[in-house]
Every structure is written in C-alpha cells, then in structure tokens.
Amino acid sequence: EDQVTQSPEALRLQEGESSSLNCSYTVSGLRGLFWYRQDPGKGPEFLFTLYSAGEEKEKERLKATLTKKESFLHITAPKPEDSATYLCAVQAGSQGNLIFGKGTKLSVKP
Amino acid sequence: DAGVIQSPRHEVTEMGQEVTLRCKPISGHDYLFWYRQTMMRGLELLIYFNNNVPIDDSGMPEDRFSAKMPNASFSTLKIQPSEPRDSAVYFCASSFRHQSPLHFGNGTRLTVT
C-alpha cells in the first residue's frame, strides 16, 4: 500500500535556528513529490514539485530535496512568519492521485 | 483571479440533515478535486472531475455522499443524511492538468451534532 509519512509531527524552533522536515514514502511509480504550506483556517498553498532523485528546489528560506525514498524540506534561519503546517504529497501509480502525509506543524518563536 | 472559492465557510447541522457544499474552481482549470481533512486521517481525496466528468470516486466513503459538476465553474458535494462522523474540513481544489500543483480553496468546516 502506498504510504507517505512525515516527521516530526511538530517542531518548535527559535528564530534563526535552522532545521529540516522529513517526508518518507513507499509508493510504486513515483510521478512527483509536492510540498505545501497550510496556515490555520486556510487551504494548503503550493510550494515545490520534485520529480526525480537528486533534484532540489529553493524559495526564500526553504529548500526541498528528493532521494529515492524521502524528501527533506530544509528551513534556513526561520522567521516567525514561517510558522505553519507543512504537508508533503506524493503522486504515484496508474491513477496518479495525490497521497498526502499528515504534516509537520512548525512553530518559530521570536 | 480570485482563486478557488468555497461556500459556506462554516456549516453546523444536526444529524440526519442534508448538507450541500459548493465550489467555484479557477477559470481554465480542467480538473476539480474534493478532499476531506481530519486530525486522524489528514487530507483524503474523495472524488475528482476532469472536464466536468467524474473520473475517480473511490474515496467517497458511502452512498450518503454525492458530488456533481454541472458546468466548468461550479461543483457541489452533498451529504444526505449527515452523521457526526462526517464532521471535518472539506476542501475543493482545482488544477490545470492532473499532475499540476493543486490550488485549494479555504475549505468548509462542517460540524454535525
């Protein structure tokens, strides 16, 4: 069965304290891996798509990387406005439907 | 573009009542998705449409759930009769292609008492 697991469930950082969020997956026929950010009371907002192992994407303080079994979302020198839940989703199989992880809730304290 | 628009934002109803959730996708997007989000199960795909035609409804939990897309700019998700376990946040999303990033609405928080 296709699975997407995110860790940790919650992460508290001090402003400026860099860290990484993990998304591990077991799927057949990976088509793409997506990262989304979700703020309270809002829908998920697209951040990155990664298609093949070794690929990297960057946006401001965020950098996403992909291997054959997992993806990391690195956050460098985070600010309080980076506080949100970060969701990973994998598109795989013949149907190509997105399978979401349960997310990592990131809190950045000033 | 105003993005994906969902209504209502909040819905509180009693068990057994009919609930209708509405969605207006982004103009020009050929795909429309309905998701449900709970703390226990996260985001789950219920059904998706391509060019107004339902393609995969395997995520629809029971016959109590039905979805329609009468035209390219409107979709509904109906629950009849509603049950307390249906309480969740329901999201509508649209995309240009099936493998394109999804654009989500801000959801409808449904509470069934």
Side-chain angles (χ1 to χ4, degrees), chain A residues 3-11 13 19-26 33-36 50 62-75 85-90 100-106:
Chain A
Q3 271 195 322
V4 179
T5 304
Q6 292 188 246
S7 61
E9 290 186 13
L11 181 62
L13 299 174
S19 189
S20 297
L21 314 182
N22 177 264
C23 171
S24 63
Y25 59 90
T26 52
L33 185 142
F34 298 76
W35 282 98
Y36 288 83
L50 302 167
L62 298 177
K63 178 180 174 181
T65 62
L66 180 65
T67 72
K68 289 186 178 180
K69 293 184 178 181
E70 58 191 349
S71 176
F72 291 93
L73 184 65
H74 307 277
I75 180 161
T85 296
Y86 290 85
L87 297 167
C88 165
V90 170
F100 279 86
K102 292 186 179 179
T104 293
K105 184 175 182 179
L106 175 65

Side-chain angles (χ1 to χ4, degrees), chain A residues 31-32 34 36 38 41-46 49 51 87 91 95-102, chain B residues 9 35 37 39-43 45 48 55-56 91 98-107:
Chain A
R31 296 187 181 191
F34 298 76
Y36 288 83
Q38 186 174 20
K42 300 286 184 69
E45 178 183 348
F46 170 72
T49 309
Y51 291 106
L87 297 167
Q91 194 165 43
Q95 285 279 12
N97 293 336
L98 274 183
I99 305 166
F100 279 86
K102 292 186 179 179
Chain B
R9 287 299 314 274
Y35 280 87
Q37 187 175 43
M39 289 291 291
M40 286 288 291
R41 301 175 68 91
L43 266 170
L45 176 65
Y48 79 90
I55 303 300
D56 183 358
F91 286 102
H98 191 206
Q99 295 190 38
S100 300
L102 300 183
H103 297 257
F104 284 84
N106 284 327

Side-chain angles (χ1 to χ4, degrees), chain B residues 3 11 13 17 20 22 31-32 38-39 55 71 78 80 83 87 102-104:
Chain B
E11 177 79 48
T13 190
Q17 296 298 306
T20 299
R22 296 171 175 80
Y31 287 83
L32 183 139
T38 61
M39 289 291 291
I55 303 300
N71 57 63
K78 185 176 293 186
Q80 164 65 16
E83 296 183 2
S87 297
L102 300 183
H103 297 257
F104 284 84

